[in-house]
Amino acid sequence: MKALILERYGKANQLRFAEVARPTIEPDEILVQVYAVGLNPIDTMIPKGSFKPILKFELPAIMGSDLAGIVVEVGDQVTTFKTGDAVYASVFDLGTGSLAEYVAVPASAAASKPKKLDFVQAASIPMVGLTSWQAFNDHGSAIKRDQKIFIPAGAGGIGTFAIQLAKYLGATVATTTSSQNTALVKRLGADEVIDYKTQAFEQRLQDYDFVLGTVRGDGIEKALQIVKPGGHVVSLVGPPDVAFARKRGMNIIMQWLFGLISSKIKRLAKKRHIEYAFMFVRPDGQQLTDIAGILDDGHIKPVIDQVFSFDQTLEALAYLESGRAKGKVVVRFI
């Protein structure tokens, strides 16, 4: 089968298409013929080695995380799926990738494709859906109705989903974007929109309950200024902390290193009585099932910027890395 392979880490493009063996499945896995793959910013960062110390990744490796497709084979222990089922899943951090014609997926990581979405739309969901779901439900107290949530970069892949999920949960949402995307994020439900090119969010917002950190640089430190005591900051961009290292079973040296690089943000958060956590999304089929229900009920709609063919995947990744995408970039196989 054809797949997109990462052979080595480096600054230059190390990705290439290759013919590789079609995967064989374990008893608890399903084999999925891939119809579409959703791309995520981390797909442009992994080849540079940005997550080399963290990810369970042995090179050469197939790239990609999200997928939607049809089950063509079922492991002996799998009872939740059958051949012919339409599914969607994230295989992020499972040691395999989704940018291939066939992917072996643990049954526990997959869910039935939302009935009202096509395969391209479904493939756009898993990582942004799971990230938003886990950030809002797994860290500290779950998001409650009428809380104030700040989700920067509202027009991006994470932002377009997280705004809609936060509104579904009953929160008041603020976001940042450029002026040309204001109408988009308001349509998604954002209550307050800040043009990051002309305004500083930390000067406009105050007494927020929760911040979802999605922007690199000093955005996390600035976000602490708008969160009230007892609030939460969950960062997707770092710095990673000791709790994260321990959860992943890292050695004492890595725990010390992560403790060192997160010491400033942890100190500032503690001073303001704010809970800070670094989050790494995990595959979860049950959560995708719950998300599918919300999608099928029409509470959240996928936002897709562009769709590329599989042969155009390198161009798709370059477009995603340019930062111009509004919503998700998807690769279509079939």
Side-chain angles (χ1 to χ4, degrees):
M1 68 174 187
K2 191 174 182 180
L4 185 69
I5 300 294
L6 172 64
E7 292 187 314
R8 64 184 66 86
Y9 296 114
K11 292 183 180 180
N13 193 342
Q14 303 292 336
L15 302 174
R16 69 177 180 88
F17 290 102
E19 289 291 330
V20 300
R22 179 167 154 170
T24 56
I25 59 172
E26 298 295 328
D28 62 346
E29 293 181 330
I30 56 176
L31 185 65
V32 179
Q33 182 180 5
V34 177
Y35 279 43
V37 168
L39 300 183
N40 299 282
I42 198 167
D43 297 323
T44 68
M45 299 164 66
I46 287 173
K48 300 172 184 176
S50 303
F51 290 89
K52 184 178 178 181
I54 299 175
L55 283 174
K56 305 167 185 173
F57 222 51
E58 292 186 9
L59 302 184
I62 298 173
M63 288 295 297
S65 300
D66 294 349
L67 64 91
I70 296 292
V71 177
V72 296
E73 188 179 342
V74 177
D76 294 340
Q77 297 176 5
V78 176
T79 59
T80 48
F81 300 104
K82 63 182 185 304
T83 301
D85 283 350
V87 298
Y88 75 142
S90 170
V91 293
F92 176 70
D93 202 27
L94 296 181
T96 187
S98 61
L99 282 164
E101 293 176 301
Y102 295 89
V103 177
V105 181
S108 61
S112 295
K113 179 183 73 67
K115 294 180 177 60
K116 294 186 178 179
L117 302 189
D118 60 29
F119 286 97
V120 167
Q121 292 171 320
S124 75
I125 297 295
M127 182 171 283
V128 295
L130 289 170
T131 299
S132 304
W133 188 273
Q134 291 166 17
F136 292 164
N137 290 286
D138 294 357
H139 290 271
S141 56
I143 297 301
K144 298 179 179 63
R145 184 166 297 279
D146 297 326
Q147 285 189 324
K148 294 165 65 176
I149 314 298
F150 177 50
I151 303 168
I158 286 286
T160 52
F161 189 97
I163 288 172
Q164 295 183 82
L165 180 59
K167 292 302 295 181
Y168 169 75
L169 296 172
T172 297
V173 178
T175 191
T176 55
T177 192
S178 58
S179 57
Q180 59 262 39
N181 295 328
T182 297
L184 168 63
V185 297
K186 284 187 174 180
R187 189 167 67 248
L188 297 175
D191 299 284
E192 184 159 8
V193 182
I194 298 168
D195 182 348
Y196 70 88
K197 293 182 179 179
T198 62
Q199 299 171 300
F201 72 83
E202 69 273 18
Q203 295 176 6
R204 280 271 305 273
L205 307 177
Q206 59 182 355
D207 294 328
Y208 271 66
D209 298 282
F210 188 100
V211 172
L212 181 62
T214 61
V215 180
R216 292 181 177 278
D218 60 359
I220 300 298
E221 289 186 24
K222 290 180 178 178
L224 293 176
Q225 300 175 35
I226 73 168
V227 180
K228 64 185 181 183
H232 292 77
V233 173
V234 175
S235 174
L236 310 179
V237 295
D241 54 12
V242 175
F244 171 76
R246 288 173 178 162
K247 188 174 182 179
R248 292 184 67 82
M250 294 182 171
N251 62 40
I252 193 67
I253 295 175
M254 292 301 295
Q255 292 182 37
W256 174 84
L257 177 61
F258 283 7
L260 179 64
I261 62 178
S262 65
S263 60
K264 181 180 180 181
I265 196 72
K266 297 287 278 190
R267 183 177 67 255
L268 292 172
K270 184 177 181 180
K271 184 177 180 180
R272 299 179 67 92
H273 305 286
I274 296 167
E275 292 292 329
Y276 169 85
F278 172 72
M279 180 189 142
F280 223 41
V281 67
R282 68 180 188 281
D284 191 310
Q286 182 55 58
Q287 291 180 352
L288 285 178
T289 298
D290 295 336
I291 292 167
I294 299 173
L295 289 159
D296 280 335
D297 287 342
H299 298 295
I300 296 176
K301 299 183 184 303
V303 179
I304 296 174
D305 183 291
Q306 285 199 42
V307 180
F308 293 78
S309 69
F310 183 36
D311 290 338
Q312 296 174 313
T313 302
L314 295 179
E315 290 93 328
L317 288 166
Y319 176 68
L320 178 63
E321 191 170 19
S322 74
R324 300 194 306 271
K326 303 175 185 65
K328 293 302 298 290
V329 177
V330 179
V331 172
R332 186 202 308 268
F333 284 64
I334 295 176

